[in-house]
């Protein structure tokens, strides 16, 4: 079992209206200060790191490295959600993620999050040791609400217009902030009605999921509008095309600085969890942002 040095991140403002410590199947995720979620894609076709972690030993080594760098939670996915991605069968997804979750759950002190929208994958992943569900479909698949409620682990509900294959075909909103907030409120209500504790739900505006660059920028600028939902906010911008576009169409492997800048802006806007590929750089930047945010 790895040990982790206590985080030196100063506590964020104490006016949060959500539970600061999430119980992730026995492992804790302390949201008293902004935390970093490290990405582990076990897919051949993810936009940034597709194919890099198909070898289980390489995947485990990378996860351990992210924990050493300060990741407070590791998000494991077996199906790409990039625009145009092809769907994966339940069996294929289970084959990709379950063996890694079983091994990793024993090896790291931080929670594992399962990135899936499939009810069976949610159940099996939590049985294998995952302590959080990250669903880009916000539990809209048939049976997902019930599966998530049964597991009793925290769930991240993300906004997406349409589905990954078509979401970037001319996305349109009247008022993107109002519509995203209304959607997330409705999914929180649906989760609660299905038996998920309110304090166990996280919300995510879904940067890049059915949104133009302008929609993403407005959402990031107005992130605080989600405070009304009284739930921790998770933000995923790492290496996404919005960063590449702002920086003059930079390729994926040159988006580190832009991604870190966006993470800082998100934390200043109240984000509690930042989902990233580059853990160490983001952890350092968030320590600075968090110190400024909590200054009195
Ligand atoms: C799986 N995945 C890819 N991008 C994401 C994002 O922005 N948020 C969440 N919650 N998951 C994401």
């Amino acid at each position: 079992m790895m040990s982790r040095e206590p985080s030196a991140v100063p506590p964020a403002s104490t006016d949060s209206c959500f539970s600061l410590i999430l119980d992730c199947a026995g492992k804790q995720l302390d949201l008293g200060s902004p935390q970093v979620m490290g990405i582990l894609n076990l897919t051949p076709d993810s936009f940034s790191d597709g194919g890099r972690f198909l070898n289980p030993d390489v995947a485990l080594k990378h996860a351990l490295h992210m924990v050493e760098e300060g990741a407070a939670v590791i998000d494991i996915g077996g199906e790409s959600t990039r625009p145009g991605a092809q769907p994966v069968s339940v069996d294929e997804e289970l084959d990709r993620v379950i063996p890694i979750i079983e091994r990793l759950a024993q090896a790291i002190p931080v929670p594992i999050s399962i990135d899936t929208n499939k009810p069976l994958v949610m159940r099996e992943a939590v049985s294998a040791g995952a302590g959080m569900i990250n669903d880009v479909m916000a539990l809209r698949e048939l049976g997902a609400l019930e599966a998530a409620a049964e597991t009793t682990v925290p769930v991240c509900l993300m906004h997406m217009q349409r589905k990954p294959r078509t979401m970037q075909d001319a996305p349109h909103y009247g008022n993107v902030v109002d519509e995203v907030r209304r959607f997330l409120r409705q999914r929180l209500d649906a989760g609660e009605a299905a038996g998920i504790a309110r304090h166990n739900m996280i919300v995510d505006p879904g940067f890049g999921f059915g949104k133009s660059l302008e929609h993403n920028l407005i959402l990031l600028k107005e992130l605080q509008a989600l405070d009304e939902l009284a739930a921790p906010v998770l933000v995923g911008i790492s290496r996404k095309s919005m960063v590449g576009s702002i920086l003059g169409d930079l390729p994926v492997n040159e988006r580190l600085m832009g991604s870190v800048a966006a993470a800082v802006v998100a934390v200043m806007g109240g984000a509690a969890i930042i989902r990233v590929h580059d853990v160490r750089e983001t952890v350092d930047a968030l320590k600075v942002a968090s110190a400024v945010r909590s200054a009195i």
Side-chain angles (χ1 to χ4, degrees), residues 142-157:
L142 193 65
L145 278 166
E146 295 75 11
E150 271 167 38
T151 66
T152 74
V153 300
V155 186
C156 178
L157 305 167

Side-chain angles (χ1 to χ4, degrees), residues 20-247:
L20 287 182
I21 298 184
L22 296 181
D23 178 4
C24 302
K27 292 179 180 175
Q28 294 198 332
L29 179 57
D30 186 348
L31 301 182
S33 57
Q35 299 292 355
V36 168
M37 168 184 265
I39 300 171
L40 183 60
N41 284 323
L42 307 176
T43 54
D45 57 346
S46 288
F47 79 95
S48 165
D49 49 8
R52 263 190 75 195
F53 304 114
L54 295 181
N55 176 320
D57 292 327
V58 175
L60 283 165
K61 203 169 151 207
H62 183 60
L64 294 175
H65 183 62
M66 289 195 288
V67 175
E68 278 163 8
E69 290 188 324
V73 51
I74 301 294
D75 191 41
I76 296 186
E79 179 177 36
S80 172
T81 52
R82 72 174 165 75
Q86 287 306 313
V88 168
S89 72
V90 179
D91 286 346
E92 176 73 34
E93 199 174 325
L94 287 170
D95 285 349
R96 288 179 185 175
V97 299
I98 298 301
I100 301 291
I101 293 173
E102 282 171 346
R103 288 175 65 185
L104 200 56
Q106 303 299 320
I108 58 172
V110 305
I112 295 169
S113 154
I114 175 68
D115 156 20
T116 189
N117 51 53
K118 297 189 180 73
L120 187 61
V121 179
M122 292 173 189
R123 286 197 175 90
E124 296 289 319
V126 173
S127 295
M132 182 187 288
I133 294 167
N134 173 27
D135 185 359
V136 299
M137 290 294 296
L139 306 179
R140 285 178 291 161
E141 292 295 339
L142 193 65
L145 278 166
E146 295 75 11
E150 271 167 38
T151 66
T152 74
V153 300
V155 186
C156 178
L157 305 167
M158 198 197 78
H159 174 272
M160 169 170 23
Q161 200 177 63
R162 297 203 287 270
K163 292 201 172 182
R165 219 153 42 80
T166 54
M167 65 189 178
Q168 289 309 104
D169 300 346
H172 175 79
Y173 298 85
N175 179 319
V176 66
V177 174
D178 283 352
E179 288 175 44
V180 167
R181 185 174 44 198
R182 196 175 323 124
F183 170 90
L184 292 173
R185 184 178 288 120
Q186 191 271 331
R187 295 318 296 161
L188 286 167
D189 290 345
E192 197 171 21
I196 304 173
R198 201 87 183 183
H199 67 260
N200 255 354
M201 289 186 276
I202 298 162
V203 295
D204 183 338
F207 288 98
F209 286 84
K211 289 154 192 109
S212 66
L213 174 59
E214 288 68 31
H215 297 140
N216 288 320
L217 290 173
I218 292 168
L219 277 169
L220 185 53
K221 188 175 173 192
E222 312 267 321
L223 199 64
Q224 254 158 3
L226 299 184
D227 285 358
E228 244 181 56
L229 300 173
V233 174
L234 189 153
V235 161
I237 301 182
S238 180
R239 300 187 190 171
K240 286 189 180 169
S241 64
M242 79 180 264
V243 175
S245 305
I246 295 168
L247 299 177

Side-chain angles (χ1 to χ4, degrees), residues 7-13 31-35 263-264 267-268 271 282-296:
S7 167
V9 181
S13 63
L31 301 182
S33 57
Q35 299 292 355
V264 169
V267 161
M268 296 311 286
T282 313
V283 166
D284 278 357
L286 295 200
K287 284 181 185 170
V288 175
S290 179
V292 173
R293 219 179 94 183
S294 56
I296 37 173

